[in-house]
Amino acid sequence: MINDFQPHLTTGSTAVDKIEADALVLGVAKGPDGPVLLPNPLADKAARSVADSLTSLGVTGAADQLNRLPGVDGFRTGTLVLIGVGPLTGEPSGGVSPEALRRAAGSAVRQLGTADSVALALPAGTVEQVSAVAEGAALGAYSFTAYRGSKEERSKTPVEAITVLTDLRERHTKQALRRAAAVGSAVRAARDLVNTPPNDLYPESFAQIASDLAGRVRAPGATGSEKAPKLTVKVWDDKALEKQGFGGLMGVGKGSSRKPRLVRIEHAPSKPAAHVALVGKGITFDSGGLSLKPANAMDTMKLDMGGAATVLAAVRAAADLDLPVRVTGWLCLAENLPSSTAQRPEDVIRIYGGKTVEVLNTDAEGRLVMADGLVIASEEHPDAVIDVATLTGAQMIALGARTVGLMGQEELRDQLVDAADAAGESLWPMPIPEEARAGFESQVADLTNTGDRFGGMMGAAAFLREFVGERSDADADALDREAQRIPWAHLDIAGPAFNEKGAYGYTPKSGTGVMVRTLITYLESLGR
């Protein structure tokens, strides 16, 4: 479940004789003529000695390369660490981008997991650089040990004390550190949820986690009557879902003894600059239902609630950061299992709001629960609706395991691309071809739940778009129905939500927490 571990982030002086830490981390870049030691707080003689020995030590400056060296004169502990930041670029501040710093800091902290304290002497001469280094460190300080057999293994924590060395004064960096801590906490929460085994994380327990989390998020420094939780939560159980006609959630969840839930969690400041609805797919385990997946295709299917984890984490961060934006998160939670009560291919279900869907493949279930969520989220007429889902294998075929697919209304899509660029996440805009909707024609219902095989990521987006409601000021007589729709975007995180290969940068193996940072950055932009 969600671990409350939080590394202690501080800034400190670059005076090397005052640094107390288990390890001092310096950056090395790949220059055109070999490795380049980045600006650092070492005395000139010591810095030249390290720089002159880089090539003989096999240090290249490649991203993620970490080398440990004996300490240097004047440093109070015995370990000097060199971390690669990758190639030098045209960046004005030392040729290193904020994302390169973020990844280098995260990689160093991740690989130094046995250290109690780390001092990061990476370029941090501006608030932007301090923010990048601190955020990367917070992201790298992660481990998931709750299910280890021994108490000793379970009690292991990542680096607990992290100091970003800078000449900037604390009053200039305080907000950057606060943001880095909140972002790191949110991403780690999303990772924890994705990594939790499905025997422990199921719709009811997920809903309880959301409720518990809401009760713990309070305004900084709040006292007395101000201690009321900043997040409000409402949970629909299976009886309420059945009564109110949530056919997508009930249809997908019918095969499991652990019944579906819908969770609404809201951050509502007093004078919001905007209202954004976030809708997350929360299939806590996906067997495919009666359209059963092959055994090896189920190996990572605990990840299928990654969209709901992302949404929950983003709403939590909005509250932690006191963003002046109303954010309503909708977690669409179900377990997709085969049984005598499971929905069948050729069943027709009625989505919340009335549209009907002919189920041709029970393994195309995520779009069904998301349809319910999109309809009810639209009823509140938010300024924008963004859904997040591990939706299609086609996303991985089109964009690979690290790049998220983005579809939707053009202006909102562009805003999310800008947010992803600023956050350092890989996001690629894709179209929704006009012909994609035709692939979902049914002879007996409004839609089928499967479309054409080719372009499946874009086709799934075309299906979801059918359930996004109209703006509150929509013109009933207008001919352009698309212009009347609430601005909407769809994030397909199927591959990037779960790292099946080795850790890199600040990204661990398994759950990644992808798109949490992009959504936070987007929400921040609305409040400026």
Side-chain angles (χ1 to χ4, degrees), residues 69-359:
L69 305 177
V72 296
D73 292 341
F75 183 46
R76 298 187 183 186
T77 59
T79 305
L80 184 67
V81 174
L82 305 178
I83 186 66
V85 302
L88 287 171
T89 64
E91 295 291 325
S93 300
V96 182
S97 70
E99 176 60 9
L101 291 175
R102 196 181 285 120
R103 291 186 181 184
S107 182
V109 169
R110 174 178 57 79
Q111 294 186 70
L112 292 170
T114 57
D116 290 329
S117 59
V118 170
L120 297 168
L122 296 168
T126 67
V127 172
E128 182 183 30
Q129 289 177 327
V130 170
S131 179
V133 173
E135 183 179 314
L139 296 171
Y142 178 77
S143 64
F144 188 73
T145 60
Y147 290 85
R148 297 295 183 182
S150 72
K151 183 177 180 180
E152 181 182 0
E153 286 293 316
R154 290 194 302 274
S155 64
K156 285 184 177 179
T157 61
V159 177
E160 295 186 2
I162 300 167
T163 303
V164 180
L165 303 186
T166 178
D167 289 327
L168 296 176
R169 295 191 177 185
E170 183 181 353
R171 68 173 183 268
H172 297 136
T173 61
K174 183 177 180 180
Q175 181 58 31
L177 292 186
R178 181 189 171 208
R179 183 186 185 279
V183 170
S185 181
V187 171
R188 289 193 302 273
R191 291 171 179 173
D192 281 349
L193 286 166
V194 170
N195 289 334
T196 299
N199 56 317
D200 280 346
L201 189 69
Y202 46 91
E204 184 178 3
S205 66
F206 199 145
Q208 187 60 55
I209 288 170
S211 296
D212 292 345
L213 187 67
R216 296 202 301 268
V217 178
R218 302 174 189 273
T223 59
S225 61
E226 298 177 357
K227 286 186 176 180
K230 295 178 64 183
L231 295 171
T232 57
V233 176
K234 178 179 179 180
V235 178
W236 285 255
D237 64 13
D238 54 302
K239 293 179 181 178
L241 293 172
E242 183 75 49
K243 182 178 180 179
Q244 295 181 38
F246 288 89
L249 281 157
M250 291 304 299
V252 173
K254 283 170 60 177
S256 174
S257 61
R258 304 193 291 191
K259 299 305 178 185
R261 295 288 187 273
L262 176 66
V263 178
R264 178 186 184 276
I265 182 167
E266 181 180 34
H267 164 62
S270 59
K271 295 181 180 179
H275 177 199
V276 176
L278 304 176
V279 182
K281 175 185 171 183
I283 302 299
T284 57
F285 186 77
D286 182 20
S287 70
L290 290 181
S291 303
L292 195 66
K293 294 178 183 289
N296 61 1
M298 293 189 214
D299 285 349
T300 60
M301 282 300 102
K302 67 179 182 180
L303 71 80
D304 217 16
M305 37 56 65
T310 297
V311 166
L312 178 58
V315 178
R316 169 188 175 172
D320 280 340
L321 293 169
D322 297 313
L323 298 186
V325 179
R326 181 184 173 196
V327 189
T328 308
W330 299 87
L331 316 181
C332 306
L333 310 175
E335 188 173 52
N336 188 26
L337 296 180
S339 73
S340 61
T341 61
Q343 69 177 354
R344 297 157 289 260
E346 296 193 329
D347 279 358
V348 174
I349 62 174
R350 190 175 298 276
I351 300 298
Y352 179 76
K355 284 187 180 179
T356 57
V357 178
E358 182 183 11
V359 179

Side-chain angles (χ1 to χ4, degrees), residues 444-474:
V444 298
D446 296 325
L447 296 158
T448 65
N449 75 325
T450 57
D452 293 335
R453 175 189 176 194
F454 298 109
M457 175 177 61
M458 298 176 290
F463 177 93
L464 292 179
R465 185 174 58 186
E466 293 293 308
F467 299 93
V468 180
E470 294 186 342
R471 303 194 325 258
S472 58
D473 60 349

Side-chain angles (χ1 to χ4, degrees), residues 355-367:
K355 284 187 180 179
T356 57
V357 178
E358 182 183 11
V359 179
L360 297 184
N361 185 333
T362 64
D363 195 22
E365 84 300 328
R367 61 199 67 182

Side-chain angles (χ1 to χ4, degrees), residues 361-415:
N361 185 333
T362 64
D363 195 22
E365 84 300 328
R367 61 199 67 182
L368 301 178
V369 303
M370 294 294 281
D372 277 342
L374 287 167
V375 175
I376 193 169
S378 297
E379 286 185 344
E380 297 184 352
H381 298 292
D383 298 301
V385 177
I386 302 170
D387 75 71
V388 191
T390 50
L391 204 64
T392 66
Q395 178 276 325
M396 292 180 277
I397 294 171
L399 297 175
R402 297 190 185 182
T403 301
V404 172
L406 167 65
M407 291 135 279
Q409 190 253 3
E410 185 175 358
E411 182 179 356
L412 178 56
R413 193 180 65 193
D414 291 347
Q415 290 172 340

Side-chain angles (χ1 to χ4, degrees), residues 490-505:
H490 164 59
L491 295 167
D492 193 334
I493 62 171
F498 201 83
N499 176 24
E500 295 188 62
K501 297 184 178 179
Y504 59 92

